[in-house]
Amino acid sequence: MAWRDSRSHRLRLLLYSLSIVLGVAALVSIRSFSANLRAGLEEQSKSLLGADLVFSGPLPLTPEVEELIRPFARERAYQTSFSSMALFPEREGTRLVQVRALEGEFPFYGELETDPASAAKGFRNGAFALLDQTLMLQFDLVPGDRIQLGHKTFEILGSLMSVPGDSPTFNALGSRIYIPERFVGETGLIQIGSRVRYAVFVRTDAAFDPATFLEENRERISGLDLRAETVQSRKEQLGRAMENLDRFLSLVGLIALLLGGIGVATSIHLYTREKIPVIATLRCIGATAKQSFSIYLLQAAGLGALGSTLGGLLGVAIQETLPVVFSGLIPFKVEIGVAWSAVAQGFWLGLAASVLFALIPLLPLRGISPLLALRSEYQEHDLPRRDWAVRLVYAAIGAFILSFALLNTESIGVGVGFFVGLLAVFAALYGAAALLIRLVRRYFPSRWAYEWRQGLANLYRPHNQTAVLMFAIGLGTFFLLSIFLVQSSLLQEIDRFGGPGKPNLILFDIQSNQTEPVAELVRAQGLPVLDMVPIVTMRLEAIGDVPRQDVLAHREAGRPEWALRREYRSTYRDVLDSTERIVRGRFPGDPESERIPVSLEDGIARELQVDLGDRLTFDVQGIRVEAEVASIRAVDWQNFQTNFFVVFPNGVLESAPQFHVLITRTETPEASAQLQREVVRDFPNISAVDLTLILESIESVLSKVSFVLHFLGAFTLLTGVIVLLGALASGRYQRARESALLRTMGGSRPQIWKILAAEYFFLGAFAVAVSFLLALVAGGALSLYLFESPVPHPGWVAPAFALGVVALVVLVGLFNSRRILEAPPLQILRAEN
């Protein structure tokens, strides 16, 4: 009977099933792609590190380190990495780069992908260099051109396209250059204050267990100030990142799936209203309430199965595009294949959502009386208004959402938070939509033109699904606008960071005997010397009477390892910068104190768990210096200035080995490039950081992440449009009847078109207005409390997008209603009788 009853409505039922398609497609594509990611991570785990074990640290590798690794090292390779300015003589250009000097046959697993391929081995045989492909393109370089690093010139042998475990996007802040390690000394780039990282890559025997070795030698490794990384730790690190991405995107897919379920419920609600006489007739000829209900439940389940199947097929197709969408964000190649477990999961989730949401309008059908077959019209109040079964269905839907959130987040707090937040958004959208309709009905504009008044009145016609449609359209719009506003807030913060009049170029690694010549060079270019800051490197040796190694070995107090191990780059002065303010204590401190008074930034003071009067011992390049916390400072780190965790008073560190940083501002890219060229020619050891390039790189990374979110968020908006199509198709008969009556009373076709256009305009405008306001609140809250950035300004893009959604609703509505005016009024009125 379910099959026979559907014969005259199968096209409509197919349209209803499309509501669930995109939600299932989003889940299947995300889950299948995540399965491929995990498989690729497992297959390429060793090539992610390039070795079995890596030791790295800020100090040159000592004989003690060699003694540590000798028993198990089959092969080893060494790397010295640091940042430096590179000069391209043929192009007269400069750029801050990451220099990686290699000795040995790294990588042991995977390979350096170069163009030409022979360059991966050939660059090790002489004064050759491999340059990032993006750097080659930026400066229009070709193999055979030269690059100068410090005092040494190298021939470019090829372009570097891929390095095991490196992500191109997140290396954008400093392009990579590989050179042979034996030429580092000839560059003259490693001097006092140079930030250098040393690493040894080790290939071990198959029987060697790196995890056991690290556990047994943890204190010894810590004492050598080394950081150890294994294939397993790298895999776990990337695996956690992939899992977090999968969980977040799955929650996005769930929103689209829920919206599709609401679309199914709306369509079934309108569809079953037309079936009331049929159900009543079936009751008259002996069908039970259970049988009548089961007929339409089977149809709804069939819709869910069809929609879930189509969604699974679409999801498999969409995942083919995801490697392009995630390009540059994943540090290994992903082989795409169909994950049938993800397809099956998407199918059952889609079917469950379809049936659960369809039960809401279907359950009241059990209360239809055979007496309704004798009535000319069905009255809505004839169905039971309060039904315990419907309440159970609502509870089941809530349990469905909550269990999905808990399983995907694997955190009770996060899962419950997502569930409560989602309910709050649902309630706000639906409640605001219902309130708007109520206000429109109460304060109806009686002086508007007839077409506008009639279109507005259509929003509260009997059985209209205005609130549900506004909710469906508004949810997708809200999600996309919220992402856009958060992105805008972060970009506004970036713009503020490098706004007009602020420093945008910093020269660092300036030796003490170079300060005056460099300052004169800057002034000769017509540029200001905004600041010249001395910097002294040091390490924390003890907190109070407890040595650092003891604190590291017993970190029950919760002090983070990075704060104890890091190299502190400190300065000395007796005045505060414009980015600082004293929170507690006295700056620069009591000159009569027995110990040296220092000022700590409030964040590092919390991490080290120290306060005013506490003692700290620093190792200043071999000299122990005892200090006392005299003040705590709050520092605005969101400024392009030299900010410090620790500030010493004048008269203490002047004789210590140090380097200097010069800050200036250039008004044009040409002036910045000219200064960098002059500095690199005269002082090769000095590096320059151009804030403009950094901000461009950050914006590039942010744009990639935002594109991924918008790509998947579009599923939600498109699902809302499909829900709109389904609801309009369901209500076409009612609109056709109204159109026929209007034309019978003398209404023209243009008038009816205007009425329909006005109705869809108000529907879209109200939905977008509500979602826009909610997005402003959500985007502002996320920006302020999560990203600690200013409240976003929507600019012109957000309103333009909102107007585009309104135009889309009008176009979809008019397109779907075009046949209403094609049938003669007499035909429609006869069909009614």
Side-chain angles (χ1 to χ4, degrees):
M1 185 61 190
W3 177 254
R4 289 176 177 174
D5 182 75
S6 68
R7 283 182 298 187
S8 60
H9 304 285
R10 283 176 186 165
L11 286 178
R12 286 175 59 185
L13 293 173
L14 176 62
L15 181 60
Y16 299 163
S17 71
L18 294 181
S19 298
I20 209 71
V21 167
L22 287 179
V24 174
L27 283 175
V28 168
S29 61
I30 290 165
R31 288 302 179 85
S32 187
F33 184 64
S34 297
N36 290 322
L37 280 178
R38 288 191 291 272
L41 181 62
E42 191 66 34
E43 292 173 3
Q44 304 175 54
S45 57
K46 286 198 172 183
S47 65
L48 291 175
L49 193 63
D52 292 310
L53 192 58
V54 178
F55 294 97
S56 60
L59 301 175
L61 300 176
T62 62
E64 288 83 359
V65 177
E66 293 291 338
E67 182 183 348
L68 176 70
I69 66 177
R70 186 180 299 113
F72 56 83
R74 282 180 53 195
E75 292 184 71
R76 67 192 77 178
Y78 301 90
Q79 176 178 283
T80 303
S81 54
F82 52 92
S83 296
S84 174
M85 295 299 294
L87 176 65
F88 307 102
E90 282 85 0
R91 303 294 182 267
E92 295 189 350
T94 59
R95 179 69 186 271
L96 181 68
V97 296
Q98 296 178 14
V99 180
R100 299 184 182 181
L102 280 180
E103 177 187 344
E105 296 301 317
F106 175 83
F108 303 122
Y109 307 103
E111 59 182 16
L112 299 177
E113 293 187 17
T114 61
D115 184 22
S118 59
K121 297 288 186 182
F123 89 97
R124 308 169 196 261
N125 299 327
F128 301 117
L130 297 177
L131 271 66
D132 250 338
Q133 189 177 38
T134 54
L135 195 61
M136 297 279 286
L137 293 173
Q138 181 184 0
F139 287 93
D140 194 23
L141 300 169
V142 296
D145 286 344
R146 295 174 301 151
I147 177 174
Q148 182 177 332
L149 297 171
H151 300 292
K152 182 68 177 177
T153 300
F154 297 84
E155 179 186 339
I156 300 173
L157 203 61
S159 61
L160 184 65
M161 296 180 290
S162 175
V163 178
D166 274 10
S167 172
T169 295
F170 294 103
N171 280 307
L173 294 179
S175 298
R176 299 160 297 184
I177 292 181
Y178 278 81
I179 63 171
E181 201 277 338
R182 62 183 180 274
F183 295 106
V184 170
E186 296 182 33
T187 65
L189 292 174
I190 299 180
Q191 300 190 22
I192 294 174
S194 297
R195 198 174 187 89
V196 185
R197 192 85 181 166
Y198 300 90
V200 55
F201 301 91
V202 181
R203 184 178 184 182
T204 67
D205 294 321
F208 178 75
D209 183 6
T212 302
F213 170 79
L214 295 180
E215 182 63 28
E216 293 175 351
N217 293 272
R218 183 174 58 179
E219 292 187 9
R220 184 179 177 188
I221 294 170
S222 175
L224 293 172
D225 210 5
L226 293 176
R227 178 177 180 267
E229 189 172 10
T230 65
V231 172
Q232 186 62 31
S233 65
R234 173 67 66 89
K235 189 167 67 173
E236 289 175 356
Q237 180 184 4
L238 286 173
R240 284 193 297 269
M242 297 299 109
E243 287 176 6
N244 290 336
L245 180 65
D246 174 37
R247 291 167 185 166
F248 172 76
L249 297 181
S250 293
L251 294 178
V252 174
L254 174 64
I255 295 174
L257 184 66
L258 294 178
L259 192 53
I262 293 170
V264 169
T266 303
S267 301
I268 294 296
H269 173 74
L270 296 173
Y271 172 70
T272 53
R273 287 187 179 282
E274 299 177 19
K275 294 295 183 178
I276 295 296
V278 176
I279 298 172
T281 302
L282 288 174
R283 297 296 309 280
C284 286
I285 59 177
T288 64
K290 181 179 178 181
Q291 288 175 322
S292 303
F293 165 75
S294 299
I295 290 169
Y296 296 99
L297 179 61
L298 283 172
Q299 288 186 357
L303 293 180
L306 177 61
S308 298
T309 301
L310 294 175
L313 295 174
L314 180 60
V316 170
I318 288 174
Q319 75 156 343
E320 297 286 342
T321 67
L322 293 183
V324 178
V325 174
F326 287 90
S327 175
L329 299 177
I330 299 172
F332 56 88
K333 292 182 179 179
V334 181
E335 296 293 332
I336 296 299
V338 179
W340 293 109
S341 60
V343 175
Q345 187 183 56
F347 175 85
W348 290 113
L349 285 172
L351 181 59
S354 300
V355 172
L356 281 173
F357 280 93
L359 282 172
I360 297 172
L362 288 177
L363 283 171
L365 299 181
R366 298 170 304 152
I368 292 179
S369 168
L371 187 61
L372 286 177
L374 306 177
R375 297 181 179 177
S376 58
E377 289 190 12
Y378 165 65
Q379 300 296 325
E380 185 177 3
H381 61 264
D382 287 335
L383 290 182
R385 288 180 176 272
R386 296 182 179 179
D387 189 340
W388 61 268
V390 174
R391 294 181 180 179
L392 284 179
V393 170
Y394 279 118
I397 292 173
F400 174 79
I401 299 172
L402 180 59
S403 60
F404 187 96
L406 290 174
L407 288 173
N408 276 272
T409 59
E410 296 185 0
S411 167
I412 294 178
V414 176
V416 172
F418 171 81
F419 175 70
V420 172
L422 190 62
L423 288 185
V425 172
F426 278 21
L429 282 170
Y430 195 89
L435 178 62
L436 273 174
I437 300 307
R438 190 171 182 179
L439 292 174
V440 166
R441 190 168 188 172
R442 183 170 182 179
Y443 302 103
F444 190 80
S446 58
R447 297 186 179 182
W448 285 9
Y450 168 72
E451 292 86 352
W452 287 95
R453 286 186 284 116
Q454 186 63 32
L456 188 60
N458 283 348
L459 296 183
Y460 53 84
R461 66 156 68 89
H463 310 319
N464 203 334
Q465 298 297 302
T466 301
V468 173
L469 290 176
M470 287 179 59
F471 170 79
I473 299 166
L475 183 61
T477 309
F478 162 78
F479 186 77
L480 290 175
L481 281 175
S482 297
I483 295 173
F484 171 78
L485 290 172
V486 171
Q487 180 191 12
S488 298
S489 173
L490 295 176
L491 291 177
Q492 288 173 26
E493 183 67 5
I494 290 173
D495 291 340
R496 185 182 74 86
F497 184 65
K502 294 190 175 181
N504 61 2
L505 185 65
I506 180 170
L507 305 178
F508 59 95
D509 284 354
I510 303 172
Q511 302 304 302
S512 297
N513 61 349
Q514 296 174 329
T515 55
E516 287 303 321
V518 171
E520 288 301 319
L521 177 60
V522 172
R523 295 189 183 99
Q525 297 291 322
L527 302 174
V529 177
L530 300 177
D531 205 354
M532 178 75 80
V533 183
I535 297 178
V536 180
T537 59
M538 60 187 67
R539 292 186 175 277
L540 183 63
E541 276 294 298
I543 299 177
D545 295 323
V546 184
R548 181 185 62 165
Q549 296 304 325
D550 291 348
V551 179
L552 283 168
H554 305 87
R555 285 189 291 126
E556 292 83 0
R559 294 184 176 102
E561 186 174 353
W562 69 266
L564 297 166
R565 289 189 177 278
R566 68 169 289 116
E567 179 183 70
Y568 286 85
R569 296 192 164 196
S570 306
T571 191
Y572 52 89
R573 48 181 160 83
D574 287 340
V575 294
L576 291 173
D577 273 350
S578 59
T579 59
E580 301 172 321
R581 62 180 178 84
I582 294 298
V583 177
R584 297 188 303 279
R586 175 181 173 183
F587 184 87
D590 185 0
E592 303 299 327
S593 174
E594 295 181 1
R595 299 183 184 89
I596 299 169
V598 296
S599 178
L600 261 59
E601 186 263 344
D602 57 351
I604 199 67
R606 286 194 301 270
E607 298 288 5
L608 294 175
Q609 299 180 17
V610 298
D611 208 337
L612 298 180
D614 288 342
R615 289 184 294 114
L616 299 174
T617 303
F618 292 94
D619 179 353
V620 183
Q621 301 172 47
I623 304 298
R624 289 174 60 89
V625 175
E626 289 196 0
E628 180 181 299
V629 180
S631 64
I632 306 292
R633 292 169 297 118
V635 178
D636 181 8
W637 295 98
Q638 296 176 337
N639 277 280
F640 192 62
Q641 290 185 224
T642 49
N643 296 315
F644 299 90
F645 284 132
V646 184
V647 175
F648 280 73
N650 286 331
V652 177
L653 300 178
E654 281 81 353
S655 59
Q658 58 192 268
F659 66 98
H660 295 74
V661 168
L662 184 148
I663 299 174
T664 185
R665 174 171 180 80
T666 61
E667 298 299 333
T668 64
E670 292 76 16
S672 176
Q674 176 64 27
L675 176 60
Q676 291 181 56
R677 283 194 295 269
E678 297 292 334
V679 170
V680 171
R681 284 197 182 98
D682 295 347
F683 307 97
N685 63 289
I686 296 176
S687 298
V689 175
D690 191 334
L691 179 63
T692 305
L693 294 177
I694 293 177
L695 296 185
E696 287 176 357
S697 299
I698 294 174
E699 287 183 18
S700 174
V701 174
L702 188 60
S703 296
K704 283 181 177 290
V705 175
S706 180
F707 174 73
V708 171
L709 296 178
H710 279 101
F711 177 83
L712 294 165
F715 283 97
T716 309
L717 182 60
L718 289 175
T719 303
V721 172
I722 291 176
V723 172
L724 172 65
L725 279 170
L728 293 179
S730 304
R732 182 182 297 168
Y733 174 77
Q734 187 177 2
R735 287 181 170 81
R737 179 174 177 273
E738 293 173 355
S739 173
L741 291 173
L742 288 172
R743 289 168 64 188
T744 302
M745 292 186 295
S748 64
R749 290 194 178 199
Q751 280 183 311
I752 297 174
W753 274 113
K754 290 178 182 177
I755 291 171
L756 291 173
E759 177 183 352
Y760 300 135
F761 170 77
F762 287 125
L763 180 66
F766 287 160
V768 168
V770 171
S771 61
F772 192 87
L773 292 175
L774 290 175
L776 284 176
V777 174
L782 287 172
S783 299
L784 280 175
Y785 300 110
L786 182 60
F787 298 104
E788 296 183 358
S789 56
V791 176
H793 186 277
W796 63 270
V797 178
F801 172 77
L803 291 175
V805 173
V806 175
L808 179 64
V809 172
V810 173
L811 291 174
V812 169
L814 292 178
F815 177 80
N816 203 49
S817 305
R818 68 192 187 284
R819 295 184 181 178
I820 290 177
L821 299 179
E822 295 177 1
L826 186 59
Q827 178 183 340
I828 296 174
L829 296 177
R830 281 177 176 173
E832 183 182 357
N833 295 322

